[in-house]
């Protein structure tokens, strides 16, 4: 188990068990795992019977969020699942891909920027208009935890993308990435769930949408994705100061 904490920056790196223990301790100190709690105390993340003051804002977002956020990013080499909690001050748990995570507070106005960074969103060539149908099996394969299935599905993706030869070639060489952003938040007596997903290559990007027959891939741009990302956030969050970084 590896836990590192820097009180000057409020930066906390920890494994999943340690994060769960810390979150539980913030709401129910009596129910937290003593052994893991000692590890957190040894690095200063827990002080005088409470989480360090530098961590309390982020933990408050976890325990009293207005919305939950998941960012799933996949590529041939691996899968990363980042999690977030949106509130007046938000929090992110960033998957580092080695079994550890960075936990930090994030100004809510910077959540879209953080998501864009985690998803690798950046300048790409604009693709010619068009639409291709894609089976759910292909979309599932691209986000599989099994490297062999992701590789095989990447070949299938390349076959689908032949209307855009440069994108197809990039996908066939393993130069693809997918990103799926899920946001859920309560509204009165129900939960609203919103999703934004896309396929990314250095040669261009395609958004996952749906028509009457099922999912389709449609060319998009980083700016269009940025606007879509901001639009799926709950309306009661402060989005006035969000500026597109692309």
């Amino acid at each position: 188990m590896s836990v590192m904490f820097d009180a000057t920056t409020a930066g906390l790196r920890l494994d999943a068990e340690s994060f769960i223990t810390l979150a539980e301790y913030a709401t129910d100190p009596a129910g937290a795992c003593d052994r893991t709690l000692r590890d957190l105390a040894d690095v200063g993340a827990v002080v005088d019977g409470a989480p360090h003051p530098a961590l309390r804002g982020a933990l408050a977002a976890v325990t009293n969020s207005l919305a939950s956020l998941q960012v799933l990013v996949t590529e041939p080499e691996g899968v990363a699942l980042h999690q977030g909690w949106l509130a007046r001050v938000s929090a992110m748990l960033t998957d580092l891909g080695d079994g550890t995570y960075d936990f930090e507070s994030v100004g809510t106005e910077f959540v879209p920027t953080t998501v864009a960074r985690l998803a690798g969103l950046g300048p790409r060539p604009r693709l010619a208009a068009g639409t291709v149908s894609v089976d759910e099996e292909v979309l599932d394969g691209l986000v599989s935890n099994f490297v062999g299935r992701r590789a095989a599905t990447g070949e299938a993706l390349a076959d689908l993308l032949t209307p855009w030869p440069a994108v197809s070639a990039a996908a066939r060489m393993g130069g693809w990435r997918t990103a799926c952003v899920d946001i859920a938040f309560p509204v009165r007596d129900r939960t609203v769930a919103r999703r934004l997903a896309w396929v990314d290559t250095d040669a261009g990007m395609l958004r996952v949408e749906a028509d009457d027959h099922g999912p389709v891939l449609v060319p998009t741009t980083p700016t269009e994705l940025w606007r879509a990302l901001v639009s799926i956030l709950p309306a009661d969050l402060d989005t006035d100061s969000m500026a597109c970084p692309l």
Side-chain angles (χ1 to χ4, degrees), residues 150-192:
R150 290 199 307 276
T153 309
E155 289 289 333
L157 176 67
D159 292 340
L160 286 174
L161 298 179
T162 52
W164 304 279
V167 176
S168 176
R172 201 172 301 281
M173 293 294 291
W176 58 267
R177 176 190 294 117
T178 73
C180 182
V181 181
D182 286 300
I183 292 179
F185 53 94
V187 175
R188 299 184 181 89
D189 58 347
R190 63 190 178 97
T191 298
V192 174

Side-chain angles (χ1 to χ4, degrees), residues 55-246:
L55 297 172
R56 292 175 191 169
L59 287 169
V62 175
T63 57
N64 295 285
S65 65
L66 298 174
S68 62
L69 166 71
Q70 287 192 335
V71 184
L72 176 64
V73 181
T74 72
E75 51 192 0
E77 294 78 17
V79 176
L81 179 60
H82 314 288
Q83 299 186 66
W85 298 265
L86 309 186
R88 292 177 61 88
V89 175
S90 297
M92 291 294 303
L93 187 69
T94 302
D95 185 350
L96 301 181
D98 61 358
T100 64
Y101 302 81
D102 280 343
F103 179 60
E104 60 185 345
S105 63
V106 178
T108 300
E109 69 272 22
F110 297 115
V111 168
T113 304
T114 302
V115 172
R117 174 179 56 80
L118 294 173
L121 195 63
R124 302 288 189 271
R126 179 183 290 272
L127 299 178
T131 302
V132 294
S133 299
V134 56
D135 290 339
E136 291 281 1
E137 184 178 355
V138 171
L139 296 177
D140 290 343
L142 293 173
V143 301
S144 171
N145 283 321
F146 298 100
V147 62
R149 186 181 179 194
R150 290 199 307 276
T153 309
E155 289 289 333
L157 176 67
D159 292 340
L160 286 174
L161 298 179
T162 52
W164 304 279
V167 176
S168 176
R172 201 172 301 281
M173 293 294 291
W176 58 267
R177 176 190 294 117
T178 73
C180 182
V181 181
D182 286 300
I183 292 179
F185 53 94
V187 175
R188 299 184 181 89
D189 58 347
R190 63 190 178 97
T191 298
V192 174
R194 296 172 179 170
R195 169 171 288 183
L196 174 64
W198 66 91
V199 175
D200 186 10
T201 74
D202 287 344
M205 316 176 79
L206 298 106
R207 180 171 172 174
V208 181
E209 299 185 0
D211 63 15
D212 293 339
H213 305 289
V216 295
L217 297 176
V218 180
T220 189
T221 67
T223 300
E224 289 170 350
L225 287 174
W226 171 266
R227 291 170 178 159
L229 178 59
V230 173
S231 73
I232 66 174
L233 295 175
D236 53 352
L237 291 177
D238 177 14
T239 61
D240 292 342
S241 57
M242 295 179 183
C244 178
L246 307 172

